[in-house]
Amino acid sequence: GGSLGIGKATALKLINEGANVLVTGRSHERLSKVFKNNEVKLLSFDIGDLDNISHYANKCLDMMGGKVDVLINNAGTGVSSSIEKINKDDFLHVFNVNVFGLALLTKEIVPKMKSQKSGTIINIGSTASLKGYRNGSIYAASKFSVRCLTQCWQAELREYNI
């Protein structure tokens, strides 16, 4: 997501540097408010809505003129809960956003990067990917997963200059 925190700061920095930027997030209202005075493309969608990832990935590609130099995966959500209170719904919500949506969106963008023979994928993680913490089972597990995906993709995509 690009309307808050690290995503917002990163997008604003890239815009100020003159990059051609597409910012996504769940709330079009918040995106419009944050980036109202900037030359930027905006698209609102929920990365956790796995059934529509392909549609939105194609929309992103269209909005960028079919070229993607850098993909920054920054969407994230968390749940803090003790082991006795964790449940399937919390796991699914966090993993749909932090892991599955990230991976499926990236899967849709990679063929374009391969055809360009270049690209950079940046997955924004967390120190939670390095060490778990009290009541962090679900969030930390999702960020461990993102860290592992990042390492796997680096090995898999290196030969394509990605």
Side-chain angles (χ1 to χ4, degrees):
S3 62
L4 298 168
I6 293 170
K8 173 183 165 184
T10 302
L12 289 170
K13 175 71 172 163
L14 291 169
I15 292 164
N16 289 335
E17 294 291 324
N20 183 17
V21 177
L22 167 63
V23 183
T24 65
R26 285 181 308 214
S27 169
H28 186 73
E29 180 181 335
R30 193 165 47 212
L31 287 169
S32 296
K33 189 175 183 180
V34 169
F35 296 102
K36 68 180 174 184
N37 297 319
N38 294 281
E39 186 69 29
V40 63
K41 296 167 186 67
L42 302 175
L43 179 62
S44 60
F45 72 96
D46 181 355
I47 192 91
D49 178 10
L50 304 183
D51 293 333
N52 289 301
I53 293 290
S54 182
H55 166 76
Y56 284 111
N58 286 323
K59 199 163 185 174
C60 289
L61 288 168
D62 289 344
M63 291 174 74
M64 295 303 291
K67 182 164 176 45
V68 178
D69 295 317
V70 180
L71 171 62
I72 302 174
N73 288 312
N74 182 63
T77 191
V79 170
S80 180
S81 185
S82 68
I83 185 67
E84 294 92 356
K85 294 181 181 172
I86 61 175
N87 61 66
K88 179 181 78 169
D89 290 339
D90 287 344
F91 265 104
L92 288 173
H93 172 70
V94 172
F95 271 73
N96 281 349
V97 172
N98 295 4
V99 182
F100 305 143
L102 173 149
L104 294 173
L105 180 72
T106 303
K107 171 194 169 214
E108 298 290 332
I109 302 299
V110 162
K112 178 53 68 179
M113 289 181 168
K114 281 183 170 182
S115 73
Q116 296 170 177
K117 296 182 175 50
S118 69
T120 300
I121 301 167
I122 300 169
N123 293 327
I124 303 299
S126 168
T127 56
S129 72
L130 302 173
K131 183 173 180 8
Y133 58 93
R134 182 184 180 101
N135 296 332
S137 298
I138 297 172
Y139 179 75
S142 76
K143 291 305 182 174
F144 267 75
S145 296
V146 170
R147 184 169 158 233
C148 183
L149 286 170
T150 303
Q151 292 172 350
C152 291
W153 295 344
Q154 180 184 27
E156 183 177 341
L157 298 171
R158 182 175 303 179
E159 68 186 272
Y160 300 100
N161 197 33
I162 300 170

